[in-house]
Amino acid sequence: MENKEALSTLNEIKEMMEKSSRFQSISGWSIVVVGLLASVVSAAAWLLLLPHADMAWLPACCSGLLINSPWRSSIAILVALLLLVVSFSTVAALSLGKMKRQKGAVRFDPSLRRCLIHFCVPMLAGGLLCLAMLQQGHYGLTSTFMLVFYGLALINCSHYTHSSIAALGYVQLVLGVVDCFVVSHAILFWWLGFGLMHVVYGFYFIAKYERQKGL
């Protein structure tokens, strides 16, 4: 009996140490919002950047947004940067609000710093690579690199936050690899990865981590 109690105590201590070394304040609703934002951007890109049989419904001022136009790469870069800023701001605001409810104050503790560093390094490398490809006119594999590096960033930071985030990262990796073998469906894979998968995982995250704890 004493051995069982000692083992139980050790397991509890181990669990507490693991929780203290991981950032636990990610908001599930922020993940859902990011997916919805990405879905809206994907729909807009499909309408404005892809050639359709009949584009007469577009106003004259939007004709420069069509594929192969000189504005295409500039619009793609600006939209991607805007989505990144809005998404990061949404995740930060909702997650910090959750941290304040949990701990009574916002604290940039070592677990949060480690999580951010291990997420941002692959994202920065991938972002610079995609920017270089767009500037040189190599559009074909841009969505692939976005998905792959984002997946690597999620897997990398999952060691310092909820481990299930790694599953979302592996899904992004698979979509990115498949995307590089499929021609002319970049926006579809971009939506599947950044849009649909975020919404699905966000609701899973809410059900598993937040509803059970009343957060």
Side-chain angles (χ1 to χ4, degrees):
M1 182 64 73
E2 291 181 358
N3 290 336
K4 290 183 178 180
E5 291 178 354
L7 182 60
S8 177
T9 302
L10 288 174
N11 288 333
E12 290 178 0
I13 294 174
K14 180 181 178 182
E15 184 177 353
M16 291 176 61
M17 291 178 64
E18 288 180 350
K19 287 183 177 180
S20 64
S21 65
R22 290 172 178 261
F23 179 65
Q24 302 287 328
S25 299
I26 294 176
S27 169
W29 286 110
S30 68
I31 301 173
V32 174
V33 171
V34 168
L36 294 176
L37 289 172
S39 297
V40 172
V41 171
S42 299
W46 183 79
L47 289 172
L48 296 176
L49 299 180
L50 289 181
H52 296 280
D54 182 13
M55 302 300 294
W57 57 272
L58 276 176
C61 62
C62 294
S63 60
L65 297 177
L66 298 180
I67 195 168
N68 296 326
S69 72
W71 291 98
R72 184 177 185 272
S73 59
S74 299
I75 293 296
I77 292 172
L78 289 175
V79 170
L81 288 175
L82 180 61
L83 177 62
L84 179 63
V85 171
V86 173
S87 299
F88 186 82
S89 300
T90 301
V91 173
L94 294 179
S95 297
L96 291 177
K98 182 178 177 180
M99 179 188 293
K100 188 174 182 179
R101 292 194 302 271
Q102 288 177 331
K103 302 180 179 180
V106 176
R107 301 173 182 174
F108 290 91
D109 53 22
S111 63
L112 175 56
R113 289 196 295 269
R114 286 194 296 267
C115 184
L116 286 175
I117 291 172
H118 284 81
F119 177 79
C120 290
V121 169
M123 286 292 289
L124 180 60
L128 292 174
L129 178 60
C130 291
L131 181 61
M133 292 180 65
L134 287 172
Q135 287 183 336
Q136 297 175 29
H138 303 301
Y139 308 112
L141 294 177
T142 304
S143 60
T144 292
F145 282 106
M146 287 182 179
L147 289 166
V148 167
F149 276 92
Y150 180 60
L152 291 174
L154 291 176
I155 295 170
N156 206 31
C157 76
S158 67
H159 301 291
Y160 304 96
T161 182
H162 298 281
S163 58
S164 64
I165 288 181
L168 179 61
Y170 286 117
V171 171
Q172 306 292 336
L173 276 179
V174 171
L175 287 172
V177 171
V178 174
D179 179 33
C180 71
F181 290 100
V182 180
V183 180
S184 301
H185 289 83
I187 292 179
L188 172 62
F189 282 94
W190 202 91
W191 169 72
L192 288 174
F194 294 106
L196 181 62
M197 289 300 102
H198 272 92
V199 173
V200 171
Y201 177 76
F203 282 113
Y204 165 79
F205 188 97
I206 292 169
K208 182 174 181 179
Y209 298 109
E210 297 183 353
R211 286 184 178 176
Q212 295 177 356
K213 297 179 182 180
L215 296 174

